[in-house]
Amino acid sequence: MKVNQQSGYILHRQSYRESSLLVQIFTRNFGRLTLIAKGCRTKKYQVQGLFLPFKPLLLSWTGKGDLPILTSIEQIGFCPQLDASRVACGYYINELILKLLHRHDPHELLYDKYDKSIFQLTDKKNPNSVLRVFEKYLLQEIGFGLVLDHDAESGETIAEEHSYQYVPQKGPIATNKEQGDIISGSTLIALQNEEFNSAQDRSQARRLTRLLIDIQLNGKELRSRRVMREMKHYREQISNEY
């Protein structure tokens, strides 16, 4: 099978044999798959700088089975420039795709959201908001979409001033509790509308999506989370010292 000029991104790469790479990619029409980039680590290879995450690419490959051979790679459009903290966010998104999407399953909607999220990380939009929205669509694409618009028991519309307990596999249920894993109605509405106006809404949304994603990870560790924690700790140390 030959595939020509498919829009995609590189998620991860690793050395393969003496001069090649195994390249994990995410494409719009073919989903996630692994390609062999033969001879790309030699000095004669002219496009080594393209084998990096977050570059919008056109990719072509040929072959059957789990390891087709990359035949061409070229960059298209603008390449986003991310600072250190936002690069970590991008790697987190990539790792979620690698851990939670099956190979060869197309996810056109999620690909479009991925493309948008990478470019949103370059602007002034809060990166935590970008991650929460992407996580929402990822959960939806793998069959575990969030219920955000109504109470899972009563069916009533989510009220901004009410508190809810989110039950996995079911949804939000109104509660009078003031402690524990409580989600405000305003947070559910913010996630539904993809517009966060307060730090509390972002924090509660993060706790909610992390709970649901951790269930899907089934104990798998995300290295990118550890990196982000270490970066946050380092920034706090520097701030305290100065």
Side-chain angles (χ1 to χ4, degrees):
M1 181 181 72
K2 291 184 178 180
V3 177
N4 292 316
Q5 295 197 312
Q6 172 67 203
S7 298
Y9 284 87
I10 288 176
L11 302 174
H12 184 262
R13 67 177 192 177
Q14 66 187 76
S15 298
Y16 181 71
R17 296 182 176 172
E18 292 184 0
S19 60
S20 302
L21 287 174
L22 288 180
V23 186
Q24 300 264 11
I25 65 171
F26 184 41
T27 67
R28 191 175 194 280
N29 296 323
F30 292 84
R32 180 176 77 84
L33 62 155
T34 304
L35 304 178
I36 299 177
K38 288 190 172 182
C40 67
R41 291 159 56 206
T42 64
K43 293 182 179 180
K44 294 182 180 180
Y45 210 90
Q46 300 298 314
V47 289
Q48 292 184 27
L50 296 184
F51 288 90
L52 296 171
F54 319 128
K55 289 180 180 289
L57 302 168
L58 286 177
L59 300 155
S60 302
W61 63 87
T62 185
K64 298 180 180 180
D66 290 334
L67 289 175
I69 297 171
L70 179 74
T71 55
S72 73
I73 178 172
E74 60 181 281
Q75 183 176 322
I76 53 172
F78 169 75
C79 179
Q81 301 297 315
L82 306 180
D83 62 26
S85 61
R86 291 171 185 249
V87 164
C89 293
Y91 278 120
Y92 171 70
I93 291 175
N94 285 0
E95 195 170 8
L96 286 179
I97 292 172
L98 289 168
K99 288 288 200 302
L100 296 179
L101 295 189
H102 294 294
R103 292 186 183 186
H104 308 293
D105 285 349
H107 295 275
E108 290 91 347
L109 174 62
L110 187 64
Y111 178 87
D112 292 341
K113 292 299 177 184
Y114 176 89
D115 183 71
K116 182 178 180 179
S117 297
I118 294 303
F119 281 88
Q120 283 181 328
L121 289 174
T122 67
D123 61 26
K124 295 181 180 179
K125 192 174 183 68
N126 189 295
N128 291 315
S129 300
V130 176
L131 295 183
R132 302 296 80 78
V133 173
F134 181 80
E135 289 168 334
K136 182 181 81 166
Y137 281 96
L138 175 63
L139 287 165
Q140 176 181 309
E141 282 290 295
I142 63 175
F144 297 92
L146 285 81
V147 177
L148 299 169
D149 59 348
H150 66 273
D151 186 301
E153 284 194 343
S154 69
E156 294 182 359
T157 301
I158 294 296
E160 183 176 359
E161 67 277 9
H162 289 176
S163 296
Y164 297 85
Q165 183 172 15
Y166 200 99
V167 180
Q169 311 291 345
K170 192 171 184 179
I173 300 172
T175 181
N176 293 322
K177 295 180 180 179
E178 297 182 357
Q179 296 180 344
D181 293 333
I182 305 303
I183 305 293
S184 70
S186 66
T187 295
L188 296 173
I189 292 170
L191 190 53
Q192 171 78 359
N193 296 334
E194 302 175 12
E195 193 65 46
F196 299 90
N197 297 315
S198 72
Q200 175 178 295
D201 285 344
R202 284 192 292 270
S203 177
Q204 289 189 355
R206 176 178 177 271
R207 177 156 45 85
L208 173 58
T209 56
R210 173 163 290 193
L211 167 68
L212 300 177
I213 284 173
D214 283 349
I215 291 173
Q216 302 309 315
L217 288 171
N218 194 28
K220 297 176 185 175
E221 181 186 10
L222 292 180
R223 295 178 60 187
S224 52
R225 280 184 183 171
R226 185 175 71 249
V227 170
M228 286 191 283
R229 285 196 303 269
E230 291 172 353
M231 291 178 64
K232 180 180 178 181
H233 179 67
Y234 175 75
R235 288 195 299 268
E236 290 173 348
Q237 280 188 321
I238 295 297
S239 177
N240 291 335
E241 289 176 4
Y242 295 93

